């Protein structure tokens, strides 16, 4: 029996930094990561004390490129799962802009993204 790998996007967002990880749920291993802490990303941003949606989009683009290099941009046929409601709830954000910027950048990079939101997203506007 073949075990299908399930990849999940995990976000760590503070006022100062943004980190996005794709985790293999079968073994808990991080398979790709991108963060505004990295010098190569940090030097291209203009967010001295706070990171905005532009920085989040850059993190998403870099993560998308790294997933492609690893051959995981399609999540081995299933895609990269994201639960926006859970990420928002976990972080306590009222504004989903940074989260959606990362998700949209991943999609624009050609990464297959599967939204796992189970509710109607009554807490805010859902972006395409």
């Amino acid at each position: 029996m073949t075990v299908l790998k399930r990849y999940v996007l995990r976000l760590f967002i503070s006022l100062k930094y943004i980190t996005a990880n794709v985790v293999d749920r079968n073994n808990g291993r991080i398979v790709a990561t991108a963060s505004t802490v990295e010098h190569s990303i940090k030097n291209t941003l203009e967010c001295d004390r706070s990171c905005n949606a532009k920085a989040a989009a850059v993190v998403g683009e870099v993560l998308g490129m790294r997933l492609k290099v690893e051959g995981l941009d399609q999540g081995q046929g299933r895609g990269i799962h994201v639960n926006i409601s859970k990420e928002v709830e976990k972080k306590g954000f009222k504004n989903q802009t940074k989260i959606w910027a990362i998700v949209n950048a991943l999609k624009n990079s050609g990464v297959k993204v599967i939204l796992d939101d189970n509710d109607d997203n009554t807490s805010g506007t859902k972006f395409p």
Side-chain angles (χ1 to χ4, degrees), residues 1-10 22-31 72 75-79 81:
M1 181 173 145
T2 305
V3 176
L4 289 175
K5 295 200 178 253
R6 178 163 179 188
Y7 297 102
V8 180
L9 179 68
R10 291 288 178 243
V22 173
V23 179
D24 179 346
R25 288 287 305 262
N26 292 341
N27 61 19
R29 186 177 69 92
I30 296 173
V31 295
L72 301 172
Q76 296 202 342
R78 298 188 67 201
H81 293 261

Side-chain angles (χ1 to χ4, degrees), residues 79-107:
I80 307 299
H81 293 261
V82 183
N83 187 325
I84 300 295
S85 314
K86 183 178 176 183
E87 292 298 324
V88 169
E89 189 177 302
K90 183 170 67 172
K91 308 302 179 278
F93 288 138
K94 295 195 176 16
N95 187 339
Q96 302 176 11
T97 306
K98 292 176 189 175
I99 296 169
W100 278 107
I102 294 169
V103 170
N104 288 334
L106 282 171
K107 286 181 181 180

Side-chain angles (χ1 to χ4, degrees), residues 7-116:
Y7 297 102
V8 180
L9 179 68
R10 291 288 178 243
L11 304 174
F12 303 94
I13 301 173
S14 70
L15 292 175
K16 208 169 180 183
Y17 301 111
I18 299 171
T19 300
N21 296 327
V22 173
V23 179
D24 179 346
R25 288 287 305 262
N26 292 341
N27 61 19
R29 186 177 69 92
I30 296 173
V31 295
T33 188
S35 176
T36 56
V37 176
E38 298 174 41
H39 291 291
S40 57
I41 295 175
K42 190 177 191 177
N43 293 338
T44 64
L45 301 175
E46 296 176 8
C47 61
D48 297 328
R49 289 185 124 2
S50 64
C51 285
N52 54 22
K54 283 185 181 181
V58 169
V59 168
E61 289 172 22
V62 171
L63 183 62
M65 287 187 284
R66 291 178 180 169
L67 287 167
K68 282 185 173 184
V69 167
E70 294 292 324
L72 301 172
D73 53 320
Q74 299 302 308
Q76 296 202 342
R78 298 188 67 201
I80 307 299
H81 293 261
V82 183
N83 187 325
I84 300 295
S85 314
K86 183 178 176 183
E87 292 298 324
V88 169
E89 189 177 302
K90 183 170 67 172
K91 308 302 179 278
F93 288 138
K94 295 195 176 16
N95 187 339
Q96 302 176 11
T97 306
K98 292 176 189 175
I99 296 169
W100 278 107
I102 294 169
V103 170
N104 288 334
L106 282 171
K107 286 181 181 180
N108 292 339
S109 296
V111 175
K112 182 178 177 185
V113 176
I114 300 169
L115 299 177
D116 287 342

